[in-house]
């Protein structure tokens, strides 16, 4: 299991290197999708299956779909993938940087540091993350209200931002 | 814009700053900063011309990156020490990262490059909100963690800010860019004293807010955005030109006016801390700022009509004097005799 | 420093560097911001798990709501920029330079 988690951590970093190395937006969106999926696996391997599920549904299913859609709208005729030279140089540079970091910190790593949130499962019917997130409806109700207010605010912000000067098309022709 | 929508944005601006003021937990402080950023974007883009859109985009990208960096740094602190409290920061990496993130939010040099461009794209009222109200929330976080800050980083940020603020403003003819550079220089004065005496920094912030509000409101009253158009003020309204001159000199910190008070107190405090070289450098760099304030007053007031002007006469839009200006102007110019009261009430 | 901590620190720094150093289009800058938020979500969850403080497990959900708001605002700014400037390249945002 530990080696599997290490593999996931490595793939997570590689996915974000793919985002950061400035390819065309389609490929960057693909790297982000890969990282988000691996992030779900990471969270599930720690026992927080509910948060992993939320990440999958909301982040991957809701937000990234919109990003991929926008990437398709702003399409370029000659997209740059990771195999083109300028991007490949960035990828190599970033991977080298991460490798130097691993080499620098490798001596201090304690590999066996592993813990789940389910220590209390002898006494409880619920997983730890479920009981934790359900606190949002009792003790953290003000935070819930605040998040709801921000979502309402964002609705108005988006409506005002895309108002434009009365022209309806996405592109200026 | 619909008044209902506008009221939602204004309320959210107040809500964000209030949450950041009243929180001692990093997550809540971050939430307040995010609400602030989200609520000001529609006010900035209100005119919808390309310059406003560009300014909004630049502002949004820098602020979003800065608040993400802030949350990341506080999370690093939590991983290292298990603490989420703003008041008890211990990890040096996290403190440095948070200082840099807040400097990016405030527009302190060397993270200042967005500020003149963003301010140039806005109208003067939104510019007033951006350079006064939006500075409050990040600065309050800095004041809360003032004892933990690294003095060397603060001194270098401050000296770079005052230098950049002075040199950058010398090159400009646009009033909003000049005001942006003046904001950078004043922020340098505030953060140099932050570690040694947070009270004086707070006093400096309040006085800076008052003086900047006055100058923005006066420029808005005369519709002036360049040095050329400010030179028409005397023909439009001679009293306003006198007010502009006094306010500019107070912003530059000349002695009988209010703006001299924070500089005096800061130099005294730096001398108590035996930072004589730093105090000298700060006092010299403020001459750079004073030069361009004086140039503005020269073209506003000291060249009296009738003389040959470089500008066509603009349409006189009749604007009434806002009742806030007579309130703010005495505070802008005549607070210096109250220095002992303000100083000792802060101790 | 555990492998977890190293992973999300380096992932965040990578996204921040990508946002800061080289961006050609606004959409990829927004994708980098999303990468930062994804890293923060995972790091917040893992912090609460490793410290077994289950009350903090609601903070990732709040973070997710705020990052969704930020992504919405970013995408609508993308649309506004495309309308006024013609495309979404960041080099075109040069009307206000000194």
């Amino acid at each position: 299991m530990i080696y599997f988690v290490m593999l996931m951590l490595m793939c997570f970093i590689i996915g974000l290197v793919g985002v950061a190395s400035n390819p065309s937006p389609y490929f960057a969106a693909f790297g982000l999708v890969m990282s988000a999926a691996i992030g779900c696996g990471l969270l599930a391997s720690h026992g927080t299956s509910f948060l992993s599920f939320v990440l999958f549904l909301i982040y991957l299913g809701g937000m990234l779909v919109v990003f991929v859609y926008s990437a398709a709208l702003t399409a370029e005729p000659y997209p740059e993938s990771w195999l083109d030279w300028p991007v490949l140089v960035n990828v190599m540079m970033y991977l080298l940087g991460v490798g130097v970091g691993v080499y620098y910190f490798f001596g201090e790593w304690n590999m066996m540091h592993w813990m789940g949130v389910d220590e209390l499962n002898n006494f409880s019917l619920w997983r730890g993350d479920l009981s934790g997130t359900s606190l949002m409806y009792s003790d953290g109700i003000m935070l819930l209200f605040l998040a709801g207010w921000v979502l309402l605010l964002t609705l108005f912000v988006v409506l005002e931002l895309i108002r434009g000067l009365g022209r309806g098309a996405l592109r200026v022709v | 814009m619909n008044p209902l929508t506008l009221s939602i944005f204004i309320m959210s601006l107040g809500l964000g700053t209030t949450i950041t003021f009243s929180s001692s937990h990093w997550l809540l402080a971050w939430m307040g900063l995010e609400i602030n950023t989200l609520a000001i974007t529609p006010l900035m883009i209100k005119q919808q011309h390309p310059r406003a859109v560009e300014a909004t985009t630049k502002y949004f990208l820098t602020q979003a990156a800065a608040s993400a960096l802030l949350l990341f740094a506080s999370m690093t602190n939590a991983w290292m020490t298990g603490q989420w409290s703003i008041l008890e920061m211990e990890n040096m990496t996290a403190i440095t990262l948070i200082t840099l993130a807040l400097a990016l939010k405030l527009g302190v040099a060397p993270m200042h490059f967005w500020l003149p461009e963003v301010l140039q794209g806005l109208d003067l009222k939104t510019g007033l909100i951006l350079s006064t109200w939006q500075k409050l929330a990040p600065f309050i976080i800095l004041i809360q963690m003032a004892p933990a800050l690294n003095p060397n980083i603060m001194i270098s940020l401050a000296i770079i800010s005052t230098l950049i603020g002075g040199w950058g403003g010398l090159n400009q003819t646009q009033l909003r860019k000049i005001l942006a550079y003046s904001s950078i220089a004043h922020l340098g004065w505030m953060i140099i004293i932050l570690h040694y005496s947070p009270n004086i920094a707070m006093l400096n912030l309040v006085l800076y807010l008052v003086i900047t509000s006055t100058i923005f409101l006066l420029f808005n009253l005369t519709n002036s955005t360049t040095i050329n158009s400010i030179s028409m003020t005397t023909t439009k309204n001679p009293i306003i030109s006198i007010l502009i001159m006094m306010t500019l000199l107070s912003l530059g910190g000349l002695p009988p006016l209010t703006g001299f008070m924070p500089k005096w107190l800061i130099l005294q405090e730096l001398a108590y801390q035996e930072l004589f070289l730093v105090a000298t450098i700060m006092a010299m760099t403020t001459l750079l700022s004073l030069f361009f304030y004086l140039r503005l007053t020269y073209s506003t007031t000291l060249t009296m009509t009738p003389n040959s002007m470089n500008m066509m006469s603009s349409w006189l839009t009749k604007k009434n004097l806002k009742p806030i200006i007579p309130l703010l102007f005495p505070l802008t110019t005549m607070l210096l005799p109250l220095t002992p009261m303000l100083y000792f009430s802060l101790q | 420093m555990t492998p977890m901590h190293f992973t999300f620190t380096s992932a965040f720094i990578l996204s921040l560097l990508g946002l800061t150093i080289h961006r050609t289009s606004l959409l990829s800058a927004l994708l980098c911001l999303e990468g930062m938020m994804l890293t923060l979500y995972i790091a917040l969850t893992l912090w609460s798990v490793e410290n077994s403080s289950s009350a903090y497990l609601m903070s990732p959900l709040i973070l997710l709501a705020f990052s969704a708001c930020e992504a919405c605002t970013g995408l609508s700014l993308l649309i506004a920029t495309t309308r006024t400037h013609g495309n979404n390249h960041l080099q075109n945002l040069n009307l206000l330079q000194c």
Side-chain angles (χ1 to χ4, degrees), chain A residues 12 15-16 19 25-40 54-72, chain C residues 27-28 30-39 64 67-68 71-72 75:
Chain A
F12 185 72
L16 281 177
V19 179
Y26 324 110
F27 297 104
F30 174 71
L32 198 57
V33 166
M34 189 176 107
S35 287
I38 289 169
C40 288
V54 166
L55 185 66
F56 192 79
L57 277 187
I58 311 282
Y59 193 88
L60 204 58
M63 289 159 65
L64 279 185
V65 164
V66 180
F67 269 96
V68 171
Y69 179 65
S70 318
Chain C
L27 184 60
S28 48
L30 293 176
L31 281 170
C32 275
L33 270 179
E34 282 309 298
M36 286 153 86
M37 284 297 165
L38 172 70
T39 317
L64 196 61
S67 75
C72 279
L75 283 177

Side-chain angles (χ1 to χ4, degrees), chain A residues 72-94:
Chain A
L73 275 183
T74 58
E76 298 167 19
Y78 301 108
E80 280 186 325
S81 74
W82 293 294
L83 294 180
D84 291 316
W85 269 111
V87 184
L88 193 60
V89 169
N90 289 333
V91 169
M92 288 299 163
M93 214 170 58
Y94 283 138

Side-chain angles (χ1 to χ4, degrees), chain A residues 50 54 58 129-145 147-148 151, chain C residues 54-55 57-59 61-62:
Chain A
F50 178 67
V54 166
I58 311 282
D129 59 337
L130 274 179
S131 60
T133 44
S134 65
L135 277 182
M136 198 164 64
Y137 297 104
S138 57
D139 286 345
I141 190 72
M142 291 315 286
L143 284 179
L144 186 66
F145 277 140
L151 288 171
Chain C
S54 60
L57 277 171
M58 66 180 172
S59 56
L61 292 182
I62 307 281

Side-chain angles (χ1 to χ4, degrees), chain B residues 16-293:
Chain B
T17 308
T18 315
I19 288 174
T20 310
F21 270 33
S22 55
S23 67
S24 62
H25 191 285
W26 277 114
L27 194 70
L28 269 168
W30 172 80
M31 286 159 78
L33 292 174
E34 285 287 312
I35 294 175
N36 248 344
T37 308
L38 286 178
I40 195 147
T41 40
L43 300 178
M44 292 168 76
I45 211 170
K46 200 170 52 184
Q47 272 114 14
Q48 298 280 358
H49 50 61
R51 284 181 288 119
V53 173
E54 182 182 330
T56 315
T57 308
K58 285 177 175 170
Y59 184 75
F60 174 76
L61 282 181
T62 49
Q63 298 291 313
S67 37
L69 184 60
L70 182 85
L71 192 60
F72 170 72
S74 52
M75 184 128 48
T76 306
N77 187 45
W79 273 81
M80 293 299 187
T81 64
Q83 288 269 3
W84 278 99
S85 168
I86 298 181
L87 301 170
E88 294 158 18
M89 296 288 291
E90 281 163 10
N91 187 4
M92 209 55 226
T93 318
I95 291 174
T96 312
L97 275 179
I98 286 175
T99 313
L100 293 183
L102 289 174
L104 178 58
K105 265 197 167 308
L106 287 167
V108 172
M111 276 78 75
H112 68 283
F113 291 98
W114 60 274
L115 184 61
E117 302 187 4
V118 167
L119 209 56
Q120 176 66 29
L122 308 176
D123 60 341
L124 283 165
K125 282 181 203 159
T126 320
L128 171 66
I129 299 177
L130 188 74
S131 55
T132 56
W133 185 254
Q134 295 295 97
K135 305 264 188 230
L136 280 174
F139 203 81
I140 288 297
I141 299 180
L142 271 182
I143 282 186
Q144 281 191 24
M145 52 184 288
L149 293 172
N150 185 353
N152 293 329
I153 293 177
M154 299 312 273
I155 287 179
S156 25
L157 282 179
I159 289 181
I160 295 172
S161 297
T162 44
L163 278 172
I164 298 263
W167 274 327
L170 287 182
N171 206 12
Q172 302 298 332
T173 56
Q174 299 278 340
L175 290 181
R176 283 168 290 186
K177 279 190 175 168
I178 287 179
L179 286 177
Y181 281 110
S182 121
S183 149
I184 294 168
H186 276 92
L187 282 171
W189 278 89
M190 286 171 222
I191 64 174
I192 198 169
I193 204 64
L194 198 58
H195 179 69
Y196 303 108
S197 163
N199 301 327
I200 297 181
M202 193 72 204
L203 176 67
N204 193 355
L205 178 69
V206 172
L207 292 179
Y208 167 72
L209 296 189
V210 169
I211 301 174
T212 309
S213 313
T214 318
I215 196 76
F216 267 102
L217 287 172
L218 286 172
F219 284 156
N220 186 35
L221 192 69
T222 56
N223 273 333
S224 42
T225 52
T226 59
I227 292 186
N228 260 342
S229 60
I230 204 182
S231 64
M232 290 295 293
T233 310
T234 317
T235 53
K236 285 181 187 170
N237 196 337
I239 298 175
I240 293 294
S241 78
I242 304 287
L243 295 190
I244 287 180
M245 184 191 80
M246 303 281 279
T247 313
L248 280 172
L249 291 182
S250 179
L251 200 58
L254 280 189
L257 303 169
T258 306
F260 178 60
M261 184 209 303
K263 293 194 166 49
W264 186 14
L265 294 176
I266 286 170
L267 287 180
Q268 187 196 18
E269 183 68 32
L270 286 179
Y272 277 148
Q273 304 287 342
E274 301 191 343
L275 295 167
F276 297 113
L277 182 63
V278 175
T280 315
I281 294 175
M282 295 297 280
M284 295 305 258
T285 51
T286 197
L287 294 179
L288 291 170
S289 304
L290 192 61
F291 182 79
F292 60 79
Y293 296 132

Side-chain angles (χ1 to χ4, degrees), chain C residues 2-25:
Chain C
T2 58
M4 273 330 143
H5 192 183
F6 176 77
T7 303
F8 76 76
T9 305
S10 56
F12 186 88
I13 292 176
L14 277 176
S15 308
L16 187 64
L17 280 181
L19 174 66
T20 320
I21 296 177
H22 40 63
R23 284 296 107 193
T24 49
S25 69

Side-chain angles (χ1 to χ4, degrees), chain B residues 25 34 38 54 78 84 177, chain C residues 47 56 70 73 93 95-96:
Chain B
H25 191 285
E34 285 287 312
L38 286 178
E54 182 182 330
W84 278 99
K177 279 190 175 168
Chain C
W47 183 82
Y56 266 91
E70 219 176 68
T73 315
L93 299 180
L95 291 175
L96 300 169

